[in-house]
Amino acid sequence: MAKIITVTSGKGGVGKTTTTAAIGAALARTGDKVVVVDFDVGLRNLDLIMGAERRVVYDFVNVIQGDARLPQALIKDKRLDSLFLLPASQTRDKDALTEEGVDRVIGLLAQHFDWVICDSPAGIERGATLAMRHAEIAIVVTNPEVSSVRDSDRIVGILDAKTLKAERGETVDKRLLLTRYDPVRAARGDMLKTEDVLEILSLPLLGIVPESADVLKASNMGVPVSIHEPNSAPARAYQDAALRLKGENIAMELPRQRGGLFSKLLRRAA
Amino acid sequence: MTLWKRLFSSGSAPQARERLQILLSHERQVLGGDDLLSRLREDILAVVAKHVPCGQDNVKVRLERGTPMSILEIEVEVRGDIDLAISRAA
C-alpha cells in the first residue's frame, strides 16, 4: 500500500511543483514506484517541469469522467522506469474534480505504487482541499519570507481540519520544507533563519533547499532538479529530504554549492 | 546606509519574525471556521455565559503546537469584579 504525500503551501510560487517533481524523482531513483499527481486543474504545470508536456493524451479529469482508463492517462518518465505522472486537465471547469472521483483514482494508485505524491494548487479552495484529502504526510513548502510563512500557518490549520485523517480524529504528519533559503542573507539578519521559521510554525523540518540557479536550469530543461545535476546543492537537498521520508536518519545540513572558482582552479592544478 | 548603521543594525529579519508572531497568534484564534479551536471556543463560551455575562470576543483559545507537548491556553475575560455568590445563584 502506498504512502500518500501532499505537497502544499497556500501561497503560490514557493516551489510546490518543483518539490513534487524533485522528491518524486529522488524517491524513484532509489527504486521505489512513484506516481506524481497534478491537482492544479486549469493551470497544470507538473507535466512541463517533468518534461512530459508533449506526451499528455489523457488526464486526471478524463479518468474521473470515465473517458479514459487510469493506465491510459499515466505517463511513464523517460529517465526513470519507476516514475509516473498523472497530469491535470486544462479545462476551465473548476468542479471537474469530484470527491468521489478523487477517492477512486487515489485508491487505485495506492494499490500499485509505493508513493503517491499530490501536487496541490495554490490557495485554499476546492483543488487544494481535494489534493490534501488523502494525505498521510503533508510537505509544507515555505520560503523564509513573511507572506509565505503566514500562508503556511493557515494551511497547517486546514490540514488539521479538512483531511480524511482529521475527520477520523487522527493528524496528518506535517513536515516543513524550507525552500529558496539563502544562508548568507540569513546570517546577515536580512532573511528569516531556519530556527525562526521552525519556531513560528512548530513543524518538524524535512529539509532546507538553498536558493540556487540550478532550479531554473532544471525547469528550463524539463528535468526534475534532483536528477538534473545530481551533485548540485538543491539536488542533494531534495535527495536527503526523500531519504528522510523513507525513514532514514540524515543529518540536517545545508548543502553548499560545490565547485566555486577557487576549487575549480585547484582541481585544474591537481 | 551609513557605516555606523551597517555595523550596528541587526537586519530586517527580527522585524519579520516579530510581526509574524503577533499576526499569527491573532489569526490562529480568529480564522479556521470549523476547526478544533473555534469549536472549543464556542463550547467554552456557551458554558461560561450560562453563569457570568461574557461576550464572543472575551474568550481566547490559543494552541501552541509542539512536540512532544502542545499547550492549550484558554483565557476568559469577564467585565468587572465577579460576585461569586450572585454568579452562583444566576
Side-chain angles (χ1 to χ4, degrees):
Chain A
M1 213 40 191
K3 272 249 188 288
I4 301 171
I5 301 181
T6 298
V7 179
T8 184
S9 69
K11 189 176 183 317
V14 297
K16 285 183 294 298
T17 303
T18 300
T19 295
T20 304
I23 298 263
L27 285 169
R29 213 170 71 135
T30 69
D32 290 358
K33 280 195 85 179
V34 181
V35 60
V36 289
V37 184
D38 193 347
F39 273 79
D40 204 344
V41 169
L43 290 169
R44 73 164 172 236
N45 275 319
L46 187 55
D47 55 336
L48 200 52
I49 298 301
M50 303 274 295
E53 70 277 11
R54 292 171 64 182
R55 298 164 62 211
V56 176
V57 182
Y58 295 112
D59 57 53
F60 201 169
V61 171
N62 292 141
V63 176
I64 285 181
Q65 295 179 342
D67 300 328
R69 288 178 306 111
L70 183 56
Q72 293 178 295
L74 287 175
I75 302 171
K76 188 175 171 181
D77 187 77
K78 280 179 287 190
R79 299 149 296 238
L80 294 164
D81 282 343
S82 60
L83 179 60
F84 289 79
L85 160 71
L86 180 59
S89 88
Q90 284 291 57
T91 172
R92 285 164 67 180
D93 178 12
K94 282 272 170 198
D95 297 327
L97 288 187
T98 59
E99 230 167 60
E100 302 72 37
V102 169
D103 292 355
R104 187 172 62 84
V105 172
I106 297 292
L108 280 170
L109 290 173
Q111 286 171 25
H112 294 99
F113 289 91
D114 299 314
W115 301 90
V116 178
I117 308 182
C118 306
D119 184 18
S120 171
I124 52 174
E125 303 299 316
R126 191 182 162 77
T129 49
L130 279 176
M132 68 172 66
R133 186 171 155 78
H134 292 265
E136 287 161 62
I137 302 174
I139 300 178
V140 180
V141 182
T142 308
N143 292 166
E145 177 271 328
V146 286
S147 60
S148 175
V149 174
R150 178 199 213 173
D151 290 359
S152 291
D153 190 73
R154 190 77 200 281
I155 276 292
V156 166
I158 296 170
L159 283 164
D160 287 338
K162 292 196 173 172
T163 51
L164 286 175
K165 277 210 150 204
E167 282 171 22
R168 289 197 299 263
E170 301 165 25
T171 47
V172 176
D173 177 3
K174 300 169 290 286
R175 317 274 188 96
L176 178 76
L177 186 75
L178 196 58
T179 56
R180 307 199 71 164
Y181 190 72
D182 184 338
V184 176
R185 289 165 74 189
R188 217 194 289 143
D190 281 328
M191 181 182 270
L192 287 167
K193 288 190 175 62
T194 308
E195 306 88 84
D196 295 334
V197 181
L198 286 176
E199 194 195 326
I200 294 167
L201 293 177
S202 307
L203 292 178
L205 185 61
L206 178 66
I208 309 165
V209 182
E211 168 86 72
S212 162
D214 289 297
V215 176
L216 182 60
K217 278 187 209 161
S219 89
N220 286 341
M221 307 292 282
V223 184
V225 62
S226 54
I227 57 170
H228 180 241
E229 293 276 1
N231 282 321
S232 69
R236 282 181 291 138
Y238 277 119
Q239 289 157 16
D240 284 356
L243 292 178
R244 288 184 195 111
L245 285 171
K246 292 186 73 164
E248 286 187 33
N249 200 357
I250 311 272
M252 190 69 66
E253 54 172 298
L254 189 69
R256 292 191 183 284
Q257 207 74 39
R258 277 182 201 155
L261 182 64
F262 190 63
S263 58
K264 265 186 196 156
L265 285 173
L266 273 181
R267 222 180 299 145
R268 203 168 289 174
Chain B
M1 202 188 268
T2 63
L3 181 65
W4 180 263
K5 266 192 181 166
R6 205 179 270 246
L7 283 174
F8 292 97
S9 81
S10 52
S12 53
Q15 282 206 44
R17 189 190 139 104
E18 202 188 315
R19 287 174 60 216
L20 274 170
Q21 275 168 335
I22 294 168
L23 176 74
L24 293 184
S25 75
H26 174 73
E27 282 189 345
R28 281 170 190 161
Q29 285 170 35
V30 177
L31 293 171
D34 61 344
D35 65 353
L36 172 72
L37 290 190
S38 352
R39 267 177 283 158
L40 260 178
R41 204 164 71 106
E42 272 164 42
D43 287 359
I44 291 164
L45 177 68
V47 171
V48 175
K50 262 204 289 191
H51 303 281
V52 286
C54 176
Q56 185 66 240
D57 297 334
N58 301 126
V59 179
K60 292 188 178 115
V61 180
R62 258 191 62 171
L63 180 64
E64 239 173 75
R65 286 185 291 260
T67 45
M69 196 177 66
S70 296
I71 298 171
L72 185 65
E73 206 178 281
I74 298 168
E75 193 184 310
V76 184
E77 265 176 38
V78 181
R79 225 164 245 242
D81 190 12
I82 307 178
D83 187 332
L84 286 174
I86 292 173
S87 305
R88 222 178 294 139

